[in-house]
Amino acid sequence: MTRFNPNLAAVSASPIMQATAWVRETALPEGLPLIDLSQAAPASPPPKQIREQLARAMLEDDSAHFYGRVLGNDALRLAVADRTAALYGGAVQDNQVAITAGCNQAFCVAVATACGPGDALALPYPWYFNHKMWLDMAGIHCVPLPTGPDMLPDPASIDALPDNVRAIALVSPNNPTGAEYSETLLQAFYERARDSGRLLILDETYRDFHSAPGAPHGLFTNTDWPEVLAHLYSFSKAFRMTGHRTGALVTGQARIDQAAKFLDTVTISAAQPGQIAALYGLTHLTQWVEGERNVYLQRRRLLESLMAQHLPNWKLHGAGAYFAWISPSGDAPAEQTARTLLAEQAILALPGTMFLPDGMGSTAMRVAFANADDQGLAETVNRLVAYERQHA
């Protein structure tokens, strides 16, 4: 009999893999092309400037084909530090930055520096499923923190956490709900983490698409941030370079030193092409990213308007960055709704149960609306209206 690591074997397949399997096994309605709103990945390649930079590097820069430094290339670490300090305020040094193979790895390494088997991490739900999957694989207990009707967690919930909770992880703008955490809320979590001796892990993968201009918070202006905060960032969404797997961890140097052990063991170094692309993007494409932000904010406004006009009985719990958290009218279980939408309207969205503790029911769905243009959003709402009429 084949035996597996029980922690790994107990983890369900990724929801994205499950949704992909649904598409393979479902006969889509004739004449309706698939509208895939399941994954928060840009549907277009990086801007031409980045692709040209990569092409030159592949031909002319021999170092682009070899191992790099474990913690990332010096120039990129410095650029991340400078950009972080410029955006948020406060002092950030390059020795407080590690470049990772995507933001998922940044989360994994941050958790590894704080938690061991038997320890726990507090995670608000609905949660990003890959975060929960990693905790389960690593033998780290997840303490679920509820969110309110506004999809926001309560900082006071930290006061009742058991002693073995070593860290709290937040995502803002949130995946899966799209909710944006206010500066006041984030500072309250920061203070409770600091006062209880815990690490605050803040994943800001989607910060470039925040609806508020400027810095979304001032956590880096706290003089003790290196001891309290582990900040995660992704270049994948801002520069449409998901395939290059490049992210960043910003935290105190002592924690970065521990992170180096993890990174050296798992990847040795983040891939050179991704680091080259990220450096060029950070130093040359600030205005281009602002244009992307405006596009996604417009799509958010359009979705909100279309739903208010055509689906008044549906509930839009939260929307921001790439995501909306939506409940249809009625009380059909979320997975039933998602499977029916795929079979009848060729819309692929993820049921809310994929982002919740086991056994918890939901009628909500995560809709990654940012990948649909204006015409695609209008068609999506038209099909949702058709579904509503058929199942009212």
Side-chain angles (χ1 to χ4, degrees):
M1 179 179 178
T2 304
R3 298 192 178 188
F4 299 103
N5 173 349
N7 287 344
L8 183 61
V11 176
S12 299
S14 160
I16 299 299
M17 295 175 64
Q18 294 181 50
T20 301
W22 289 357
V23 174
R24 287 198 305 267
E25 63 194 30
T26 301
L28 299 183
E30 186 175 352
L32 290 183
L34 178 68
I35 298 177
D36 188 350
L37 304 177
S38 66
Q39 190 169 16
S44 301
K48 185 178 180 181
Q49 303 97 305
I50 282 183
R51 286 179 281 162
E52 290 175 341
Q53 183 73 10
L54 282 172
R56 285 191 293 270
M58 294 303 97
L59 291 171
E60 300 171 8
D61 184 356
D62 289 349
S63 68
H65 304 283
F66 301 126
Y67 289 139
R69 294 181 180 273
V70 170
L71 291 172
N73 295 342
D74 293 344
L76 181 55
R77 295 178 72 196
L78 180 59
V80 170
D82 288 348
R83 172 61 177 155
T84 304
L87 177 61
Y88 297 100
V92 184
Q93 307 299 321
D94 57 350
N95 60 11
Q96 296 169 319
V97 176
I99 305 302
T100 60
C103 196
N104 268 10
Q105 189 182 72
F107 175 81
C108 296
V109 68
V111 172
T113 67
C115 304
D119 288 336
L121 180 144
L123 199 62
Y125 64 86
W127 48 48
Y128 174 41
F129 50 76
N130 280 154
H131 286 176
K132 177 61 162 57
M133 291 171 70
W134 175 252
L135 298 178
D136 292 344
M137 292 176 199
I140 298 166
H141 181 61
C142 176
V143 177
L145 299 181
T147 53
D150 54 5
M151 311 313 298
L152 299 175
D154 183 356
S157 62
I158 301 304
D159 299 339
L161 291 177
D163 292 340
N164 70 330
V165 174
R166 307 299 183 200
I168 304 112
L170 305 176
V171 182
S172 178
N174 188 255
N175 180 1
T177 68
E180 296 175 342
Y181 293 9
S182 70
E183 180 173 8
T184 300
L185 182 69
L186 291 172
Q187 181 64 28
F189 269 102
Y190 179 96
E191 292 172 1
R192 280 178 158 83
R194 178 193 61 203
D195 295 346
S196 61
R198 296 181 171 106
L199 179 68
L200 177 63
I201 300 173
L202 177 58
D203 183 336
E204 289 196 292
T205 291
Y206 301 95
R207 70 141 187 245
D208 297 290
F209 314 119
H210 200 290
S211 64
H217 58 79
L219 298 187
F220 284 98
T221 63
N222 294 293
T223 57
D224 56 0
W225 77 260
E227 287 72 48
V228 181
L229 181 64
H231 183 269
L232 316 182
Y233 180 66
S234 170
F235 300 96
S236 296
K237 309 305 186 297
F239 302 117
R240 301 182 190 160
M241 43 182 282
T242 54
H244 290 291
R245 310 308 306 130
T246 314
L249 166 66
V250 182
T251 189
Q253 183 180 357
R255 193 172 299 278
I256 292 292
D257 291 342
Q258 296 301 312
K261 304 173 188 177
F262 183 106
L263 296 172
D264 184 60
T265 303
V266 176
T267 50
I268 300 179
S269 63
Q272 295 298 320
Q275 295 195 64
I276 292 167
L279 178 60
Y280 185 87
L282 276 182
T283 54
H284 291 83
L285 296 180
T286 301
Q287 288 303 116
W288 183 87
V289 172
E290 182 64 18
E292 293 286 281
R293 171 178 174 268
N294 290 333
V295 168
Y296 293 140
L297 291 178
Q298 168 58 25
R299 290 178 183 173
R300 170 183 171 178
R301 290 190 291 267
L302 178 60
L303 176 66
E304 291 171 340
S305 174
L306 289 171
M307 287 195 62
Q309 182 178 357
H310 299 289
L311 295 166
N313 295 324
W314 290 44
K315 176 68 174 178
L316 184 61
H317 303 275
Y322 267 62
F323 304 108
W325 190 252
I326 296 170
S327 290
S329 59
D331 56 2
E335 182 168 337
Q336 176 184 320
T337 301
R339 298 295 293 263
T340 304
L341 279 172
L342 179 61
E344 296 181 358
Q345 300 297 331
I347 293 175
L348 182 62
L350 299 185
T353 46
M354 290 179 167
F355 306 88
L356 297 172
D358 290 344
M360 181 175 290
S362 177
T363 61
M365 297 180 296
R366 187 191 79 170
V367 174
F369 67 86
N371 285 337
D373 59 16
D374 290 0
Q375 182 178 352
L377 286 175
E379 175 63 17
T380 297
V381 172
N382 285 339
R383 295 191 196 181
L384 294 178
V385 169
Y387 165 87
E388 173 84 346
R389 288 172 178 163
Q390 186 171 351
H391 295 275

